[in-house]
Amino acid sequence: MFSLLRSECYQVKKSFAVRITVVVLTVASFIMSFEMLSSDYAEFYEMEGMTEKLYGAGSVMGTMSDSAMGLLIASLFSGFLISAAFENRIVQEAVSYGKTREKVFFAKMLAYLAASTLTIVLYWFVGSIGAFMKNGFGTEDTVGSLCHVDIFLGMLAAEILAYCSLYVICGVVGFICKRSGVTIGICLIAILVGGNLLAMLMSSLPENVQNIISYTPLQLNQHVLKTDVNWNDIISTGLISLLWIAAVCGIGIYHFKRDELK
């Protein structure tokens, strides 16, 4: 298992597509972090009652709400790191050399999740550099309970797990499709069409249906994106996320073990 993980980490580091994605995202986030502090944005935040976004902790929280960017990264990396491995026959060779499919699945999924998570965390913090430099971390009057480091780190951990509950879905799509272009296309269409459709329908759905959807990977991350977040929100979000991750990975392993590798 450890040899497989080392191999996967090496492939991630050597992936030109991954490196280009990380560099472009970092540069764009750095530029936008200062653009978001312009007087126009500051006035908008004040009008909308979102002045916490002008401070470091609040800015990170605001950037976390950009789930479309997180899913875009997951879609690309699922194609680059999982489906491309089938196209290059890396997965087939690992299985033919006697590695169990469970170990191959978990090694590739862990490497994919680690790469996607590190990239989105980089996006969150680089995109908030301007707020940190100009206004600092924030106080209880400006960012609420997020001013407490333990709460902030707890929110960060819960948010990462919530995003991973979405990422594993893209990862399983990569295992099923086995072609990077098809995987990226399916995931992107799901983001653009499914995300917009859900946003339009949510307000018209019955309240009990909205509550159910809010506890699925589609909206699970929203439970901790608030200035009055507490440990109950953090722990419940983290545990539910872990259950979704386990369930989706179970489906992925079930399919992969019965799939014919060509």
Side-chain angles (χ1 to χ4, degrees):
M1 182 66 178
F2 290 109
S3 61
L4 281 172
L5 282 173
R6 286 197 298 269
S7 175
E8 293 299 330
C9 290
Y10 178 79
Q11 292 174 46
V12 171
K13 288 190 294 184
K14 291 298 181 180
S15 173
F16 180 73
V18 170
R19 285 187 287 177
I20 287 296
T21 302
V22 172
V23 170
V24 170
L25 184 67
T26 301
V27 173
S29 301
F30 184 79
I31 294 172
M32 288 186 63
S33 72
F34 290 95
E35 177 65 23
M36 297 293 282
L37 292 177
S38 65
S39 57
D40 291 338
Y41 278 105
E43 291 177 4
F44 173 77
Y45 290 150
E46 290 178 2
M47 287 175 57
E48 297 294 323
M50 300 186 297
T51 53
E52 69 274 1
K53 291 188 177 183
L54 297 172
Y55 299 84
S59 179
V60 172
M61 182 191 70
T63 310
M64 285 177 176
S65 65
D66 186 7
S67 56
M69 179 59 74
L71 281 170
L72 174 61
I73 293 170
S75 302
L76 294 175
F77 283 13
S78 180
F80 297 156
L81 300 176
I82 295 179
S83 294
F86 284 94
E87 292 177 321
N88 297 328
R89 300 197 59 80
I90 295 173
V91 173
Q92 292 89 327
E93 290 178 6
V95 173
S96 67
Y97 287 152
K99 302 295 185 182
T100 64
R101 294 202 181 197
E102 291 89 346
K103 289 182 179 179
V104 172
F105 178 90
F106 278 116
K108 190 154 289 292
M109 186 65 79
L110 284 173
Y112 153 73
L113 288 177
S116 301
T117 299
L118 289 173
T119 303
I120 194 62
V121 171
L122 183 68
Y123 167 70
W124 292 340
F125 281 90
V126 173
S128 303
I129 285 177
F132 275 108
M133 292 180 63
K134 183 175 181 179
N135 297 319
F137 193 80
T139 63
E140 192 156 358
D141 292 333
T142 55
V143 297
S145 60
L146 295 178
C147 69
H148 303 291
V149 176
D150 59 334
I151 294 289
F152 178 80
L153 293 178
M155 180 201 69
L156 179 63
E159 191 71 4
I160 288 173
L161 290 174
Y163 267 82
C164 283
S165 70
L166 269 176
Y167 289 170
V168 293
I169 297 175
C170 293
V172 169
V173 171
F175 272 95
I176 294 173
C177 293
K178 301 184 185 64
R179 293 185 179 276
S180 54
V182 176
T183 296
I184 294 171
I186 289 175
C187 292
L188 288 180
I189 289 173
I191 295 168
L192 296 175
V193 178
N196 290 332
L197 184 62
L198 178 64
M200 289 188 294
L201 293 177
M202 274 298 285
S203 59
S204 60
L205 293 174
E207 186 175 351
N208 59 337
V209 177
Q210 292 184 36
N211 289 333
I212 293 172
I213 293 175
S214 71
Y215 286 99
T216 67
L218 296 172
Q219 290 199 323
L220 191 55
N221 68 314
Q222 299 298 319
H223 288 267
V224 293
L225 295 181
K226 51 188 179 181
T227 55
D228 60 347
V229 63
N230 54 53
W231 280 110
N232 287 334
D233 300 321
I234 293 169
I235 293 172
S236 62
T237 300
L239 291 176
I240 295 171
S241 299
L242 288 173
L243 289 175
W244 277 109
I245 292 169
V248 175
C249 282
I251 294 171
I253 293 173
Y254 178 83
H255 177 272
F256 184 51
K257 287 176 67 175
R258 287 157 179 75
D259 195 17
E260 181 181 357
L261 298 179
K262 299 178 181 180

